[in-house]
Amino acid sequence: MKSFLSWRYYVALFILCAAVGILIGSVGQMTVDNLKCRSKGYDNEHFLAYCRSQMYADYEHGALFYGLEPSVTNNIRRAEVLFVGNSKVQAGFSSKAVRDYFNSINIPFFVLGFGYGDESAFTQALLTKWGISPKVLVINADPFFSEKLSPPGRDAIEGKPAFLWRLLIKSLFQRVHRAVCLVASDVCPESEPSIFRSARDGQWNWIGPYTEEKSVLIDRPAQMTISQEELATAQKLGENFLDQIGLDRRCVVLTGTPNSVLDSTGIATALAASLRTSSIFPAVDGLSTLDTVHLNLASAERWSGQFVRAMDPILEKCISASVPSHDGMAGIATAK
Amino acid sequence: MLFNSAQFIFFFLPIVLSVFFLLGRLREQMLALMWLVAASLFFYGWDDPYRLLLLILYSIAFNFFIGRMLLANQSRILLTIGICGNLLLLGYFKYAGFLLETFSDVTGFAVQKPNIDLPIGISFFTFTQIAFLVDAFRGEAREYEPFHYTLFVSFFPHLIAGPIYHHKEIMPQFQLQENFRFHISSLGLGLTWFALGLAKKVLFADVLAQYATPIFDAAAAGKPVGLLDGWIAVSGFALQLYYDFSGYSDMAIGLALMIGMRLPLNFNSPYKAQSLIDFWRRWHMTLSRFLRDYLYIPLGGNRKGPRRRYVNLLVTMLLGGLWHGAAWTFVIWGAIHGCGLVVNHAWNKIADAYRLRLPNLLAWALTLVFVMLAWVPFRADSFSAAFTMWKSLLGFHGLAPGETMTATQLATAATCISALLAVALFAPNTQQFLSYPRVIVAALRQPTRFVPSLRWAMAAGVAFGIAVSFIITQRPTEFLYFRF
């Protein structure tokens, strides 16, 4: 090992080793600081979208914006049906029913909602960046069309070096975390709530890793709505958003995931009428949420199952694929 | 700006070096120096440009003109004006609040303490310039160009916390044409020094602070601190201070080396010392040299008999303590070291007379324990906190750990401190590793004796990288000596 170098090689090797050291040090610290994140949700398809830890927190905004997870960008581009919105869309459409339905008709889909309440501003930036043009766009429009950006959404769009560096380290950390917890499970307390996300179809795996299944019955219509001014702003932003997407408005489906707080259905109905889009509001009784806002897993299965079946005519119209006919069309209201 | 910040490492330093060597390559020596001055002032004024730049430029201009006049006319009055001017500036910014508070405590008059922020590095550049004035008076300084003088004071590697260098060892280096040429060996060696210093600061000192700080804070809050916690806090702080300040000094030496300059050494494994006299030859060596040459010797040194020598030692150490900070706890720290040095000299005399000799291990242990106990007032926020900690160290608060750390945390702290103490005691220090000359020959470009190897490139590179990764992910922490 005691070989002598010329100064030129010495400096070059120093710089190379420094770069390696920075990487090792950063991933090492990230691992030590985030060993408490759950590791049981990793597989070849799922990545750690979020962990309730100050050093990790959100990863999905950056990962999807910069295509850091294997083939995630291709999967979004390939998706003929996109679901967009905030965490409510993730809760509502991360279900086996949705996956089984689209698999059965062989149409690729992607659930492209985001946590931290991000809505159209971030989605629009993402769709524009990757030139994504789905054939059908499902929007959880309560009201969705907004100029607001969450901190992780803003960070991802700004793409400052420090953010990009942390993103890279989070990406590498997951490989180390998965391996460490596989080999030495004793050092992984698995205590911090975490959300895993499928790189194939964007669905969240969160009941279990993030929260337990709870049941808060939606037993009366939600009272809260948005003001007329907010609705007018959303309509204006909605026009711009849809113009930019350039999709036939009949292939844009507005909906409102049921909850106990916001009159999502009322808002989406008004927006669908003014934006001249389709809309679907499955009528399902006895739905429950986890927390008054997000549908719980059992309700999401029932509600989203109804929803996708109600999409048959729209898919037939917008996608040239054989879409089987299903029963249960109740609750469809297509705005012309 | 901090050496251990991403903006310094990734932006400031590469830009400064690139432009400096570009100008050197174009043989624009003066422009290169002006560039270094501009960069140094930019570095100094980073946090508070108007106030800090005004202050340092005033100080440089004042001392430059007084120095020039002293070179022409070695007048004692002029020297007195010069020194008083410097001390007044230092006194206003550093000691006004302390003096008024003391006056208020002693007389009972309620005096409002002025709210004056201590300008960073003022103690260091003031001492550097006082030395210059004294040398100009003694006829030991030459007349220098204004730019050379400005760079001598503001040279960014040393500006904030030393090493306190002497004009004789630096000024000639600004005139050596060779130093303006890019040498890959200087860059490589400088990077290695910088890497080791950064690792000491970020990977050692900042980690040790996590163990020492909560326990000292608990003592300051009047909470009981057990014997074990107390020793963990004190030994942790002793090592933290060493790795922090010697790390800073290594980084300063490394930065200067990259530009082709050599700065004097500041540390030489102080905790290996076998006597207090030896300790002060190894700890903050450039301050010890300054205090010896510009305070102790002018006071009479050892030329006026043993009693006067002891008084001179005490005065020197008291003022040395006060230099570190405007608080009585620093005066106490200086007094403890002053008394310790007096006892050490007296013992040496007795030992010589009776041919006595302490075993090396005992001498080392006594010295280390004495130095650690003396760090207590240096670190403590108040007398009462210092006394609480001393009592804890002597077991007055029991053996059981206090509430600040769990048993597991204490065990981790003890392991970490033991490991880093072993490094301080048994490993070679940076200059031994990197073959740095003990004496700087300023008029010559000294060849690099360090032999670059694969092992060193990898070790220093990885250490640097890991330390930088800590800087990127966490907020860089200030060096302890910045507050002095």
Side-chain angles (χ1 to χ4, degrees):
Chain A
M1 196 63 175
K2 195 161 186 171
S3 57
F4 300 116
L5 292 174
S6 78
W7 276 109
R8 195 180 296 264
Y9 285 119
Y10 180 87
V11 171
L13 190 58
F14 176 96
I15 292 168
L16 186 73
C17 290
V20 172
I22 292 174
L23 211 59
I24 292 171
S26 302
V27 176
Q29 280 180 82
M30 184 66 83
T31 305
V32 170
D33 290 335
N34 297 295
L35 270 178
K36 287 181 179 171
C37 295
R38 305 287 169 99
S39 68
K40 302 278 189 261
Y42 291 120
D43 56 33
N44 293 341
E45 181 188 320
H46 286 85
F47 60 88
L48 184 61
Y50 171 87
C51 170
R52 199 183 65 186
S53 135
Q54 207 183 349
M55 292 290 285
Y56 191 89
D58 178 81
Y59 170 66
E60 63 181 4
H61 281 81
L64 267 58
F65 198 78
Y66 292 99
L68 281 186
E69 289 303 314
S71 66
V72 72
T73 314
N74 278 342
N75 290 335
I76 300 173
R77 275 191 178 138
R78 214 164 53 86
E80 295 184 344
V81 181
L82 271 190
F83 295 84
V84 297
N86 53 29
S87 56
K88 280 185 268 184
V89 92
Q90 289 301 118
F93 291 102
S94 292
S95 67
K96 190 170 173 296
V98 170
R99 198 172 268 172
D100 287 349
Y101 173 80
F102 284 105
N103 286 345
S104 73
I105 56 174
N106 205 23
I107 290 179
F109 75 102
F110 203 96
V111 187
L112 195 58
F114 288 94
Y116 288 81
D118 255 317
E119 301 200 281
S120 68
F122 183 71
T123 306
Q124 192 163 7
L126 180 65
L127 298 182
T128 309
K129 179 179 167 72
W130 293 110
I132 296 162
S133 50
K135 291 180 177 163
V136 176
L137 185 66
V138 179
I139 301 173
N140 182 48
D142 60 356
F144 179 68
F145 303 108
S146 153
E147 287 177 320
K148 279 188 293 187
L149 270 174
S150 72
R154 180 173 292 111
D155 285 346
I157 290 172
E158 286 175 355
K160 288 181 181 164
F163 173 80
L164 295 178
W165 174 253
R166 288 186 60 75
L167 201 61
L168 175 70
I169 298 305
K170 285 180 189 180
S171 171
L172 294 172
F173 152 75
Q174 292 177 61
R175 280 74 185 162
V176 177
H177 184 215
R178 189 180 173 187
V180 168
C181 296
L182 208 64
V183 174
S185 55
D186 290 353
V187 299
C188 301
E190 305 279 340
S191 56
E192 287 303 323
S194 309
I195 298 173
F196 291 87
R197 188 165 196 162
S198 162
R200 188 160 58 90
D201 58 24
Q203 287 196 343
W204 273 2
N205 170 13
W206 70 321
I207 310 297
Y210 181 79
T211 180
E212 59 195 81
E213 176 78 335
K214 290 178 209 158
S215 186
V216 182
L217 190 65
I218 306 172
D219 53 357
R220 58 183 165 202
Q223 297 300 309
M224 210 169 93
T225 187
I226 58 171
S227 67
Q228 286 303 313
E229 283 169 33
E230 285 171 312
L231 192 63
T233 308
Q235 284 164 355
K236 197 175 145 201
L237 291 170
E239 286 289 351
N240 290 341
F241 180 89
L242 295 176
D243 284 350
Q244 198 164 349
I245 299 291
L247 201 60
D248 182 339
R249 296 281 173 107
R250 287 173 299 177
C251 300
V252 176
V253 184
L254 265 55
T255 189
T257 53
N259 63 81
S260 308
V261 179
L262 187 66
D263 177 18
S264 302
T265 307
I267 299 166
T269 305
L271 281 171
S274 68
L275 296 171
R276 303 169 309 283
T277 66
S278 304
S279 61
I280 298 177
F281 302 104
V284 183
D285 290 330
L287 293 176
S288 297
T289 60
L290 296 163
D291 50 6
T292 72
V293 176
H294 302 91
L295 284 175
N296 68 8
L297 194 56
S299 296
E301 287 292 348
R302 290 169 56 215
W303 183 83
S304 63
Q306 283 270 29
F307 186 98
V308 289
R309 281 194 293 277
M311 285 180 78
D312 282 350
I314 297 168
L315 296 180
E316 263 183 61
K317 202 182 311 165
C318 302
I319 304 172
S320 55
S322 63
V323 179
S325 65
H326 293 279
D327 293 325
M329 303 286 277
I332 301 178
T334 308
K336 300 278 179 188
Chain B
M1 199 184 289
L2 297 169
F3 289 169
N4 55 332
S5 64
Q7 63 261 49
F8 180 86
I9 293 170
F10 293 117
F11 299 103
F12 180 85
L13 187 61
I15 292 171
V16 170
L17 292 179
S18 308
V19 175
F20 177 76
F21 288 118
L22 181 71
L23 292 169
R25 195 182 171 84
L26 297 171
R27 297 187 178 278
E28 295 288 355
Q29 211 161 312
M30 198 50 164
L31 276 180
L33 284 180
M34 286 164 77
W35 168 249
L36 273 189
V37 169
S40 298
L41 294 176
F42 177 83
F43 169 84
Y44 184 65
W46 178 255
D47 289 325
D48 186 2
Y50 296 113
R51 179 166 167 270
L52 292 176
L53 289 181
L54 207 66
L55 175 77
I56 195 167
L57 288 174
Y58 161 76
S59 174
I60 288 171
F62 174 80
N63 285 290
F64 178 73
F65 287 112
I66 296 279
R68 265 207 161 169
M69 285 191 273
L70 277 170
L71 285 167
N73 171 24
Q74 290 163 354
S75 147
R76 195 170 285 274
I77 295 172
L78 213 51
L79 176 67
T80 310
I81 292 171
I83 291 176
C84 287
N86 279 296
L87 293 181
L88 274 174
L89 195 72
L90 189 61
Y92 172 74
F93 283 107
K94 192 163 179 175
Y95 300 106
F98 167 67
L99 291 174
L100 286 173
E101 201 176 4
T102 305
F103 174 78
S104 179
D105 289 345
V106 171
T107 61
F109 285 115
V111 183
Q112 199 176 354
K113 196 178 164 185
N115 187 17
I116 305 167
D117 285 337
L118 180 68
I120 196 162
I122 189 169
S123 307
F124 287 90
F125 67 71
T126 303
F127 267 33
T128 304
Q129 294 188 99
I130 287 176
F132 169 72
L133 294 185
V134 172
D135 285 351
F137 172 75
R138 289 172 181 168
E140 292 172 6
R142 282 181 36 213
E143 188 164 337
Y144 299 112
E145 293 291 333
F147 263 116
H148 288 164
Y149 183 79
T150 308
L151 186 55
F152 157 67
V153 179
S154 66
F155 189 42
F156 72 88
H158 101 115
L159 177 59
I160 308 294
I164 304 171
Y165 52 45
H166 199 274
H167 58 93
K168 274 189 257 178
E169 57 197 4
I170 293 301
M171 290 293 207
Q173 296 192 59
F174 293 150
Q175 287 154 343
L176 267 183
Q177 210 168 352
E178 265 300 285
N179 284 347
F180 293 82
R181 280 183 49 203
F182 174 72
H183 293 273
I184 189 82
S185 58
S186 298
L187 180 71
L189 188 59
L191 278 174
T192 309
W193 270 90
F194 190 82
L196 294 185
L198 188 67
K200 278 184 183 178
K201 163 68 181 161
V202 178
L203 305 181
F204 294 177
D206 289 352
V207 171
L208 288 162
Q210 293 170 18
Y211 302 128
T213 306
I215 302 174
F216 270 102
D217 288 349
K223 291 181 188 163
V225 172
L227 179 78
L228 191 59
D229 315 29
W231 278 103
I232 285 206
V234 170
S235 51
F237 176 70
L239 288 168
Q240 181 201 350
L241 189 63
Y242 167 59
Y243 284 122
D244 188 284
F245 194 23
S246 74
Y248 174 87
S249 301
D250 289 354
M251 289 162 86
I253 289 170
L255 289 168
L257 274 170
M258 290 181 214
I259 303 171
M261 316 277 177
R262 286 184 187 261
L263 298 186
L265 294 169
N266 225 6
F267 287 88
N268 186 21
S269 303
Y271 293 137
K272 291 179 186 171
Q274 292 185 0
S275 72
L276 201 56
I277 298 169
D278 190 22
F279 174 80
W280 279 104
R281 287 182 187 138
R282 293 165 175 265
W283 178 272
H284 203 176
M285 290 147 71
T286 56
L287 176 70
S288 303
R289 181 177 69 170
F290 178 91
L291 292 175
R292 182 196 66 201
D293 292 350
Y294 297 98
L295 194 58
Y296 176 69
I297 292 175
L299 284 171
N302 57 4
R303 301 186 306 275
K304 297 185 178 174
R307 252 188 225 175
R308 181 64 189 272
R309 176 196 206 174
Y310 298 149
V311 171
N312 292 343
L313 267 176
L314 264 174
V315 171
T316 304
M317 293 314 291
L318 278 173
L319 290 174
L322 197 57
W323 175 85
H324 281 83
W328 287 107
T329 46
F330 288 109
V331 178
I332 292 292
W333 173 76
I336 292 170
H337 272 281
C339 294
L341 284 172
V342 168
V343 170
N344 198 164
H345 279 287
W347 163 257
N348 281 356
K349 218 169 182 186
I350 294 166
D352 282 348
Y354 294 96
R355 295 187 179 175
L356 298 172
R357 193 167 182 273
L358 282 181
N360 286 349
L361 194 64
L362 181 63
W364 163 78
L366 279 175
T367 307
L368 188 63
V369 170
F370 181 89
V371 169
M372 282 193 181
L373 289 172
W375 285 133
V376 171
F378 190 91
R379 172 62 181 80
D381 298 331
S382 63
F383 277 139
S384 63
F387 280 118
T388 304
M389 188 56 91
W390 271 328
K391 280 162 86 177
S392 300
L393 295 176
L394 297 174
F396 283 94
H397 295 140
L399 300 177
E403 295 162 2
T404 45
M405 281 189 182
T406 62
T408 320
Q409 285 170 324
L410 274 179
T412 313
T415 310
C416 177
I417 289 167
S418 307
L420 293 179
L421 182 64
V423 172
L425 294 178
F426 303 114
N429 55 39
T430 316
Q431 59 266 33
Q432 288 167 334
F433 270 134
L434 303 180
S435 311
Y436 196 78
R438 285 183 68 89
V439 180
I440 293 169
V441 184
L444 290 172
R445 186 182 164 76
Q446 286 165 283
T448 302
R449 287 185 292 157
F450 171 68
V451 182
S453 67
L454 192 67
R455 194 187 337 202
W456 263 107
M458 288 169 69
V462 169
F464 177 80
I466 291 177
V468 168
S469 76
F470 274 67
I471 292 168
I472 295 171
T473 48
Q474 296 161 14
R475 239 178 103 80
T477 56
E478 220 177 56
F479 290 93
L480 291 175
Y481 259 69
F482 275 27
R483 68 185 73 151
F484 306 138

